[in-house]
Amino acid sequence: MHRFEISDLITAVDPHTGHRLPVRRDEVIRRLRANGDEHAAKIVAGLPAGQDGVLDPQAVDRLLVSVHTELQRLSEELRIGERLLHLLDPLFSAIRATGAESGPYRLVDVGCGLGYLIRWLAATNALGPDVELVGVDLDAALVGEAEQLARAEGLDCRFVHGNAFDLPQAATVYVSTGVLHHFRGPALAEFFQAQAASPAQAFCHFDIAATRLAPIGAWIFHRARMRHPLGRHDGVVSAERAHSDETLLSAAAAPGIRPLLYEPRGAANPFCTTLRPIIGVRPHLEAPLRRAMGRSARRLVGPEHLAEAAR
């Protein structure tokens, strides 16, 4: 039985309209207890609610912004910007070289939270002036905070409250960090299928590597660095819910997409590996991407590699 992350249960949004829906505290507690997570139920029981039992939306927003602010420190320490750029730079080079799409290009960060990645890319101008940077999230409070931070920092990027796959202008490349493990069962394949069905040329999604050490490492880090019990709880559960390499490659194998893992399980040091990307490209982009990556391309593997390794 998969455990729940508290942050997934204390907010609810209509995926079509983006309107916030009320969440009853006792219902969240009931779900957590039914799942055997009494510790999480106690955390939720301590959150403020109105007389109708609905969780106070402003209090929830403040809590989530606080937790995401602490998560931003993790992104900084893990050098998420540099790690993603290591793949995005050759990816956009391949797109430009093949003429698969004429600029300007558009990078869309799915579930951007406080927009750390988009703001880092904007501050460094690492992808060049022909790449528009857009962060999208279903949580209005997080998007509002990301917009304020970008304005304060004088950055050329924008943030949108809504569904990343319903934007008026489609992405050239979709990215995300720490989002994939939130999709369970058929929803994971549907996430990749939505990108395959769009005009996008590629995607690059970083998520927690499903290693035996991941939950232990998450527990140590979050106990040491996260202030609120919710952040500590969800950090460990995130690691426990990480998808295997096989699950990711299978789900990402949508029509018109060539799925590739970078540094698959067994090819990386489990003591050092925290996040791992899965990449998807239109088939004609794989060869130019490998050329642009140079020696690093040896660390890209497709589903057939894992099938051979399993024999």
Side-chain angles (χ1 to χ4, degrees):
M1 181 181 294
H2 287 288
R3 294 173 68 190
F4 293 119
E5 291 179 58
I6 298 171
S7 56
D8 286 344
L9 301 180
I10 61 175
T11 61
V13 176
D14 186 314
H16 303 292
T17 66
H19 293 159
R20 188 167 191 158
L21 304 175
V23 176
R24 293 189 58 84
R25 184 173 58 187
D26 57 357
E27 176 58 21
V28 176
I29 293 172
R30 183 196 65 77
R31 291 186 66 185
L32 290 168
R33 284 178 172 159
N35 209 45
D37 198 338
E38 184 63 31
H39 174 61
K42 290 180 179 178
I43 294 173
V44 174
L47 300 181
Q51 292 184 348
D52 56 358
V54 172
L55 285 168
D56 182 342
Q58 293 181 334
V60 169
D61 287 346
R62 289 193 298 270
L63 173 58
L64 292 181
V65 168
S66 175
V67 170
H68 276 260
T69 300
E70 294 184 321
L71 287 174
Q72 177 172 297
R73 291 206 314 270
L74 175 59
S75 296
E76 293 168 346
E77 292 170 0
L78 294 178
R79 301 179 68 181
I80 294 301
E82 290 94 331
R83 294 175 68 178
L84 191 57
L85 181 61
H86 175 66
L87 297 173
L88 288 180
D89 190 35
L91 188 52
F92 274 101
S93 294
I95 293 172
R96 293 184 183 104
T98 59
E101 182 176 324
S102 59
Y105 307 101
R106 185 170 297 103
L107 178 81
V108 173
D109 185 3
V110 184
C112 67
L114 297 183
Y116 169 76
L117 174 62
I118 291 295
R119 292 187 287 112
W120 185 90
L121 290 170
T124 58
N125 195 29
L127 293 177
D130 61 344
V131 179
E132 180 187 4
L133 302 170
V134 184
V136 185
D137 203 292
L138 287 170
D139 191 302
L142 296 179
V143 167
E145 189 72 13
E147 289 177 333
Q148 291 184 34
L149 290 169
R151 285 198 300 269
E153 296 161 356
L155 300 177
D156 184 15
C157 57
R158 64 188 180 94
F159 295 94
V160 178
H161 171 225
N163 188 324
F165 306 128
D166 287 338
L167 300 178
Q169 296 175 307
T172 307
V173 177
Y174 286 105
V175 299
S176 73
T177 54
V179 168
L180 295 181
H181 66 272
H182 291 279
F183 294 96
R184 314 308 304 179
L188 182 63
E190 292 168 3
F191 174 76
F192 289 115
Q193 289 164 5
Q195 294 163 82
S198 79
Q201 295 296 310
F203 57 73
C204 181
H205 299 293
F206 273 78
D207 204 6
I208 302 165
T211 67
R212 287 179 295 177
L213 295 175
I216 299 172
W219 185 87
I220 294 171
F221 178 87
H222 287 83
R223 288 292 300 178
R225 301 302 304 274
M226 303 297 278
R227 297 179 180 88
H228 196 279
L230 182 148
R232 295 175 177 177
H233 173 275
D234 282 8
V236 175
V237 175
S238 294
E240 293 175 349
R241 299 174 76 197
H243 295 297
S244 69
D245 294 353
E246 293 82 1
T247 296
L248 289 174
L249 280 173
S250 175
I257 286 292
R258 166 67 166 160
L260 299 163
L261 273 175
Y262 191 66
E263 295 185 320
R265 185 181 66 247
N269 186 336
F271 290 96
C272 300
T273 304
T274 51
L275 298 177
R276 177 180 297 133
I278 183 165
I279 303 166
V281 295
R282 299 301 177 185
H284 67 273
L285 284 174
E286 182 178 359
L289 170 62
R290 290 182 177 276
R291 288 194 295 270
M293 291 183 67
R295 293 172 61 87
S296 295
R298 294 180 299 179
R299 297 148 77 181
L300 282 176
V301 301
E304 66 282 354
H305 174 89
L306 294 186
E308 291 175 4
R311 293 195 188 106

